[in-house]
Amino acid sequence: MTVRVRFAPSPTGYLHVGGGRTGLYNYLFARHNNGTFVLRSDDTDEARSTEEFRLDIIESLRWLGLDWDEGIEVGGPMQTYRQSERLARYQEVAAELVAAGKAYHSFASPEQLDQFRKEAQAAGRSPAYDGSLEPSPADATARLAAEEPATVRFAVPRPGETSFEDVVRGTVAFDHAQVEDFVILRSNGTPTYHLASSVDDVDFEISHVIRGEDLLSSTPKHILLTEAMGAERATYAHLSLLMGPDGKKLSKRHGHTAIKAYRDDGYLATAMVNYLALLGWSPGEDETVVSLGDMVARFDLSTVSKNPAIFDTDKLQWMNGVYIREMSPAEFVDAVRPLVEADLDRRLDDGEMEKLAEIAPLVQERAKLLTEVPPQVRFLFGDIEYDEASWNKVMTKEGAAEAVAGAADRLATVDGWSIDVVEASLRAMLAELELSARKGLQPLRVAISGSSVSPPLFESIAALGRPRTVERLEAARERMG
RNA sequence: GGCCCCGUCGUCUAGCGGCCUAGGACGCCGCCCUCUCAAGGCGGUAACGCCGGUUCAAAUCCGGUCGGGGCUACCA
């Protein structure tokens, strides 16, 4: 069987984490089955679609590492993968369906429809519109000839039922009494989602439609449309939705929903992909950290969970830390350099890059987010600002002044300069002053970094260099009076 | 309201009739390590929504109930 799947977001917003997961599952399924992954732009909603969002979707998918074989940006056998450029084809199909008596021009006004639904509901009948408001065929022809605006609706066969085997949900059935004669062409001639999507899935020969559960109840419409076109239906798989911590559909008020926002916050694509995959799928074997390649090898759509999943940033953050620690030192420096330079608002010179490389491994094992790094290394590259809370907590303690003074004097004159030399010198000082490491070293940390939290002290001092270390210790000594 | 989907620790999940006194991961708590913060090591906390039924045996099958979610547009 040739597997062809598509991810078809609407460019009406930045790529959402839920969309990212849907894209990922499509990608995993395609790659696992040596199939084709198509990226389509479902941009029939002209009013809400923008170029910015279209670009963001492409960029976010690329960032996640989900490359596609056919579609927007990369092309393929179809002339275009943007629905907005295939309008004529949808109109053609709609005309064919009308000619075949499988669809009809509808003159029902919004008000009439509204009333129909209300009455049906009040009478305990299905509110699904069944075409009963339409004029006789002769009248319809006349009104059409008079250019009266009309939509095109699909004539759902009633009585009837559409059922299908959903790969993740099992058998799902819908009574046609519940499926309305849905609009496929608006009165302005543009196609609705149902038409455009179904036509494209047929024309692009999509074998598996993997999408969000929000489209589950639209599936009978798509199957009806597909079969009315004389095509074979695809296999469907509906993924549960992503929820916020309160169990409600994930939205802006829960924090970030855009993939891009996580990238900006210092998350790694590898961690994001791993985390997203676990939201509804388990590689088994009690494993949680799995590379994209491993996922491809082990992915099985039929084992995907039916439960909605809550997007938990705590676990994402933990996982990000795992992936940060997995980077090689060079990769880490490369990843962090632009952030440090942006923080400083200038380029780092060769000497500074050496210092960064020196201290980076120490920061790497501590960071959960890339964005935590600049504040941790800032002290090496520019003037420091004292964090007042740190200063007040540490510098007013017993022995703090002595430690700073002692360190300043010793480090100014010690022979040589290395981590070991710094440590030996400072430990000797602690012994002489009879201070514990905790009490004696914290003031030095604040003096050289400005904060009570920093990378390990001896390494930090060694990287800072003698002149600046002594300078900062003297400055602190002075500030302490 | 109607139709549809879902229901195992706080969260993501394993589990497919006996291997379950329910496993793993995050979080949380404690201890160890320690120059801060992390990381790491060790230990702990915590769940089969409820009620019936089937069966020698049910987290696993069936029914109901309750709860959550989706759809109900000339949005997608």
Side-chain angles (χ1 to χ4, degrees), chain A residues 15 87 128 135 142 173 207 212 274 285 293 299 384:
Chain A
L15 184 66
L87 264 25
S207 64
N274 192 158
E285 311 290 314
F299 190 71
I384 57 164

Side-chain angles (χ1 to χ4, degrees), chain A residues 3-21:
Chain A
V3 166
R4 283 178 62 82
V5 298
R6 52 37 165 215
F7 176 50
S10 289
T12 54
Y14 295 104
L15 184 66
H16 188 273
V17 289
R21 187 185 60 151

Side-chain angles (χ1 to χ4, degrees), chain A residues 16-273:
Chain A
H16 188 273
V17 289
R21 187 185 60 151
T22 303
L24 171 62
Y25 281 30
N26 271 283
Y27 172 90
L28 292 175
F29 184 74
R31 293 286 171 267
H32 180 85
N33 294 291
N34 290 311
T36 304
F37 180 36
V38 180
L39 179 63
R40 191 172 82 204
S41 192
D42 278 13
D43 56 354
T44 48
D45 187 344
E46 290 172 65
R48 296 196 299 148
S49 297
T50 73
E51 188 64 9
E52 184 194 2
F53 294 144
R54 205 180 62 83
L55 259 21
D56 175 74
I57 288 164
I58 290 166
E59 196 179 272
S60 294
L61 248 20
R62 289 230 166 104
W63 177 67
L64 289 173
L66 309 181
D67 50 294
W68 53 99
D69 311 299
E70 272 179 43
I72 54 173
E73 283 300 282
V74 306
M78 301 301 295
Q79 306 88 298
T80 177
Y81 290 83
R82 297 174 66 155
Q83 295 193 327
S84 56
E85 293 172 354
R86 286 174 45 82
L87 264 25
R89 164 92 261 239
Y90 308 133
Q91 286 158 354
E92 175 187 29
V93 172
E96 283 169 11
L97 292 173
V98 170
K102 290 173 176 169
Y104 59 87
H105 290 282
S106 169
F107 298 92
S109 69
E111 296 74 28
Q112 284 177 297
L113 256 10
D114 199 46
Q115 199 189 343
F116 173 91
R117 290 173 186 129
K118 280 198 180 112
E119 282 172 10
Q121 210 181 101
R125 293 192 312 265
S126 166
Y129 179 55
D130 58 2
S132 58
L133 264 27
E134 302 304 330
S136 69
D139 282 358
T141 309
R143 289 167 72 172
L144 210 55
E147 290 187 11
E148 188 174 323
T151 59
V152 175
R153 287 181 184 273
F154 185 84
V156 175
R158 268 178 293 265
E161 183 190 78
T162 293
S163 72
F164 56 98
E165 284 301 310
D166 190 287
V167 183
V168 344
R169 266 145 230 288
T171 308
V172 184
F174 289 87
D175 186 332
H176 288 2
Q178 302 297 336
V179 183
E180 67 172 351
D181 280 4
F182 55 99
V183 173
I184 58 175
L185 223 50
R186 301 186 185 101
S187 52
N188 67 4
T190 60
T192 59
Y193 170 76
H194 303 304
L195 210 220
S197 176
S198 300
V199 170
D200 282 0
D201 288 344
V202 169
D203 288 356
F204 296 13
E205 298 179 303
I206 299 304
S207 64
H208 297 256
V209 173
I210 304 167
R211 56 174 23 171
E213 196 193 336
D214 50 340
L215 261 2
L216 184 61
S217 37
S218 297
T219 304
K221 297 175 184 171
H222 303 160
I223 289 175
L224 253 13
L225 224 27
T226 301
E227 293 179 344
M229 289 170 69
E232 215 162 294
R233 63 169 80 170
T235 299
Y236 292 87
H238 289 90
L239 273 19
S240 60
L241 268 16
L242 255 30
M243 304 295 172
D246 58 358
K248 303 289 182 200
K249 193 174 172 182
L250 189 63
S251 71
K252 296 252 170 36
R253 70 198 168 80
H254 295 115
H256 297 314
T257 56
I259 294 281
K260 177 196 194 347
Y262 286 90
R263 179 184 185 176
D264 291 344
D265 273 1
Y267 287 92
L268 263 28
T270 45
M272 196 72 195
V273 159

Side-chain angles (χ1 to χ4, degrees), chain A residues 442-454:
Chain A
Q442 272 302 84
L444 309 187
R445 185 187 309 284
V446 173
I448 66 147
S449 77
S451 167
S452 59
V453 177
S454 84

Side-chain angles (χ1 to χ4, degrees), chain A residues 267-277 316 319-321 323-324:
Chain A
Y267 287 92
L268 263 28
T270 45
M272 196 72 195
V273 159
N274 192 158
Y275 178 69
L276 250 19
L316 207 209
M319 189 164 276
N320 205 57
Y323 278 94
I324 284 179

